[in-house]
Amino acid sequence: MDSTQLRQFAVSGMHCAACSSRIERVVAALPGITAVSVNLATETMRLNWDENLLSIPELQKKIALLGFAIKILDDDRRVELEISGMHCAACSSRLEKVLSNQPGVLSAKVNLADESARLRLVPGASLRSLLAAVSKAGFTVRKKNSSTASYLARRKEKLAELAAMRRRLILTFLFALPLLWLAMGPMAGLPPQVFIDNHLFLGLVQLALTLPIMFLTRSFYLDGLPALWRRAPTMDSLIAVGTGAAFIYSLWNLAEMPAHSGHTTDAHAELYFESVGVLLALVSLGKFFEARAKGRTTAAIEQLMSLAPEEATLVADDQQKRIACAEIEPGDHLLVKPGERIPIDGRIEQGESEVDESMLTGESMPVAKKVGDTVTGGAINHYGLLWIEALRFPEETVLARIVRLVQDAQGSKAPIANLADKISLYFVPSVMVIALLTGALWFFAGGSDFAQALKYAIAVLVIACPCAMGLATPMSIMVAAGRGAQLGILVKNGAALQQAEKIGSVLFDKTGTLTEGQPRLIKIKTAKGQYTEEDILSWAAGIEQFSEHPLAKAIVAAAEQRGLPAAAAEGFVSVAGRGVAAVTY
């Protein structure tokens, strides 16, 4: 029996492409691993492995040794329930036992604290029977869409992290700007005279301003130095070593300053507190922009998710009941009223209407639907009542597959991204070696003293710190896939996106036309000249003002542009697929 499985994990603790490359290299060498892909931009890892050779706890332990943490992202076979009415541990234990004994349930875990239950089900297991069992036990229950809930929960966490980064960034610059003014101001005569006359006092004030900055940006040291000790340096390691060396060197010179009576300009020139503070502030600003860019690229997925309604009308035993769309199962009979979004992929059992499928096809004109036709979840029912039979589970609809396609495209790697990852893996150690060689050559061969040689070595580290080489490529793929989805263009993966760069011409075949998606009235033809164009347009606008059809809106808009009043109308009737009728006067 083949026990190979594909899972997706969320990875925390990555800061640069060197991190993702190291995880890939280490995990790929573990037993049972057949494929691994780590994406820095989406902070996820896709893994294909044999669960008999490597368990998830063992995998988590291996990755923890690298300084990172992973957690499983729920797949489509897992269901999460929201349960209310539990009051104690006895309630949760009883409910867990009830769920575990239901047919089709592989495992059930009930959490009293957050009032939820997490289930693993066999394919085809009836969720409605599980909900009925929970209700029979005396609790109120509803299904939470696992994939959507997981995505939105992670999205909420990222927004909270971004807000915290913004607060820290503001405080950092509140200290960094005065620090820069005090350190560089003497060149333009800007600081008060008391600072110019007393370099010891000026150095102490700079130290006092630098310490809060280092505390606010301490993550560079907490993440970068341990990675260096594990012999897996990251971009944060460069920042930590460069700014740390500059700080210690400046602190040493500040301690030596009293020996120079506190007034020696040369002694003050050897203080680099402003380099430490300003560099940390600027790199933090770059990381904030990076995190904000990541958040904005997920807007396309949120827009796609918003196309699916939250509730639907279930028809059973001649009774109508509102249920969550996540609870819909194949074979359910649903009622879709005019103006509502179709909740699921299904087949029309009764009724006729026109359906707006522009979310899927891009075609602005609604499509006439009758008994036997199929409809797509997320489309809008314009006019008549529709009774449909559900054909798929919510996670198997066309819209759900499109969402997954966009997520996979954003997390995929282009061939050039693999090259960038390989370079980034060796970039950080190479920079450190170059910095050491620079200092050694200036000290042994260049005739410089130790302080001067150290300064040159620090300069190499500081210059290399803001390098975003390993981030630019995955971020560009993520942004392109998200922006493409917003414009209705779906990209299969990063490799296809890279290949698109070679496209020289594009041929369109969209029912013979390319439209703007908004019909407009171009010309009016009258019969025998008996009525004027203005009369006909006014009468037509009077009738069409009661319709939501795109052509009706075009006629009403044309009348408004010409300044014509809409004629009064009564007895309005709309016939699906045929038009509207009314009496005007």
Side-chain angles (χ1 to χ4, degrees):
M1 181 179 178
D2 185 13
S3 57
T4 301
Q5 57 180 320
L6 176 66
R7 282 286 181 88
Q8 188 170 8
F9 297 83
V11 186
S12 58
M14 295 191 297
H15 306 286
C16 63
C19 300
S20 58
S21 298
R22 179 166 177 80
I23 293 175
E24 280 189 354
R25 187 160 56 90
V26 172
V27 173
L30 296 176
I33 302 296
T34 57
V36 57
S37 175
V38 180
N39 189 280
L40 174 64
T42 57
E43 297 181 336
T44 57
M45 177 177 69
R46 294 174 65 85
L47 190 63
N48 199 326
W49 91 104
D50 188 338
E51 60 182 353
N52 292 328
L53 299 178
L54 181 69
S55 66
I56 292 179
E58 291 174 335
L59 177 64
Q60 290 174 323
K61 184 177 180 181
K62 292 289 185 181
I63 293 180
L65 294 176
L66 300 176
F68 309 99
I70 62 170
K71 64 178 181 180
I72 300 176
L73 296 178
D74 289 341
D75 56 30
D76 294 335
R77 297 181 181 178
R78 299 185 179 221
V79 175
E80 186 171 355
L81 306 179
E82 295 178 353
I83 302 174
S84 58
M86 295 187 295
H87 305 288
C88 61
C91 297
S92 59
S93 299
R94 180 165 62 91
L95 186 56
E96 192 169 287
K97 185 176 180 180
V98 169
L99 288 171
S100 299
N101 291 332
Q102 296 300 312
V105 178
L106 298 176
S107 66
K109 294 183 179 180
V110 179
N111 190 310
L112 176 63
D114 62 5
E115 297 185 322
S116 67
R118 292 174 175 82
L119 310 177
R120 288 186 60 208
L121 307 178
V122 298
S126 174
L127 177 62
R128 191 163 294 123
S129 63
L130 297 178
L131 299 180
V134 175
S135 299
K136 187 176 180 180
F139 305 96
T140 303
V141 60
R142 70 171 184 173
K143 180 193 173 185
K144 183 189 297 183
N145 189 320
S146 298
S147 58
T148 302
S150 175
Y151 173 82
L152 293 179
R154 294 180 63 209
R155 170 71 171 156
K156 186 176 181 180
E157 291 177 3
K158 294 301 178 184
L159 290 176
E161 291 177 7
L162 187 62
M165 288 180 67
R166 183 185 294 109
R167 291 191 295 269
R168 290 195 300 269
L169 186 63
I170 292 173
L171 290 175
T172 298
F173 272 92
L174 286 177
F175 289 104
L177 292 177
L179 176 61
L180 180 64
W181 174 62
L182 291 175
M184 298 300 177
M187 299 179 183
L190 294 178
Q193 191 67 29
V194 62
F195 289 119
I196 297 176
D197 292 341
N198 194 323
H199 295 296
L200 177 59
F201 183 51
L202 178 59
L204 291 173
V205 173
Q206 291 183 41
L207 174 62
L209 291 171
T210 303
L211 289 174
I213 295 175
M214 297 181 72
F215 177 76
L216 291 169
T217 59
R218 60 190 180 277
S219 60
F220 291 120
Y221 304 97
L222 296 178
D223 297 328
L225 294 178
L228 184 62
W229 294 331
R230 290 192 297 268
R231 291 180 296 177
T234 65
M235 296 294 179
D236 285 355
S237 301
L238 285 180
I239 299 172
V241 172
T243 58
F247 177 78
I248 294 173
Y249 180 65
S250 301
L251 194 63
W252 175 266
N253 284 328
L254 181 64
E256 292 290 323
M257 198 170 286
H260 299 279
S261 302
H263 299 281
T264 302
T265 303
D266 291 340
H268 170 255
E270 296 300 324
L271 299 182
Y272 297 99
F273 291 121
E274 86 287 348
S275 298
V276 176
V278 173
L279 177 64
L280 290 173
L282 291 178
V283 175
S284 298
L285 178 63
K287 283 187 172 288
F288 172 75
F289 286 147
E290 166 197 325
R292 190 174 65 175
K294 287 181 182 179
R296 287 179 175 176
T297 56
T298 60
I301 296 178
E302 290 184 359
Q303 290 179 4
L304 289 173
M305 288 181 172
S306 67
L307 296 177
E310 295 183 0
E311 293 186 335
T313 302
L314 176 67
V315 180
D317 300 326
D318 295 329
Q319 299 291 325
Q320 297 182 13
K321 177 184 177 183
R322 296 292 287 177
I323 64 171
C325 288
E327 300 176 12
I328 297 176
E329 297 178 353
D332 286 347
H333 302 282
L334 306 168
L335 173 63
V336 185
K337 300 176 182 178
E340 290 185 342
R341 287 191 179 273
I342 296 174
I344 199 76
D345 292 358
R347 181 185 298 107
I348 298 178
E349 296 180 306
Q350 182 180 344
E352 292 185 5
S353 183
E354 291 187 350
V355 177
D356 180 1
E357 297 181 337
S358 58
M359 45 73 65
L360 180 64
T361 65
E363 177 59 59
S364 59
M365 297 297 293
V367 180
K369 296 288 185 178
K370 60 183 184 300
V371 175
D373 290 343
T374 58
V375 290
T376 304
I380 301 175
N381 176 28
H382 270 307
Y383 305 118
L385 290 171
L386 291 179
W387 283 263
I388 67 173
E389 178 188 2
L391 298 178
R392 296 186 178 92
F393 287 104
E395 57 270 20
E396 297 173 352
T397 63
V398 172
L399 182 59
R401 293 200 298 270
I402 290 175
V403 171
R404 285 197 296 270
L405 176 64
V406 176
Q407 290 176 324
D408 291 343
Q410 287 188 333
S412 65
K413 287 187 177 182
I416 193 173
N418 294 322
L419 177 61
D421 287 348
K422 290 179 181 179
I423 295 175
S424 298
L425 183 63
Y426 301 103
F427 176 78
V428 177
S430 299
V431 169
M432 291 187 169
V433 171
I434 292 172
L436 291 175
L437 289 175
T438 299
L441 288 174
W442 276 102
F443 181 74
F444 292 108
S448 299
D449 57 16
F450 177 77
Q452 191 74 9
L454 179 61
K455 184 162 59 176
Y456 292 145
I458 292 173
V460 174
L461 294 174
V462 168
I463 290 172
C465 283
C467 177
M469 172 185 59
L471 181 67
T473 301
M475 183 61 66
S476 63
I477 295 173
M478 189 175 182
V479 172
R483 181 57 179 160
Q486 287 179 330
L487 298 175
I489 302 172
L490 300 180
V491 182
K492 185 176 183 180
N493 51 44
L497 189 63
Q498 182 174 332
Q499 285 292 108
E501 182 269 337
K502 300 178 181 179
I503 294 176
S505 302
V506 179
L507 302 179
F508 292 95
D509 181 16
K510 184 173 179 288
T511 62
T513 62
L514 286 177
T515 69
E516 296 177 355
Q518 296 292 334
R520 290 182 297 173
L521 180 63
I522 302 299
K523 186 177 181 180
I524 301 175
K525 295 187 67 174
T526 61
K528 305 292 184 180
Q530 183 177 2
Y531 301 104
T532 66
E533 290 186 5
E534 287 73 14
D535 291 335
I536 295 176
L537 184 57
S538 177
W539 295 334
I543 300 175
E544 298 289 13
Q545 65 182 335
F546 301 107
S547 174
E548 293 296 323
H549 197 283
L551 294 182
K553 294 180 179 179
I555 293 174
V556 174
E560 292 176 349
Q561 289 174 359
R562 299 191 185 189
L564 298 177
E570 61 182 21
F572 177 84
V573 177
S574 175
V575 181
R578 293 186 175 89
V580 296
V583 177
T584 63
Y585 54 90

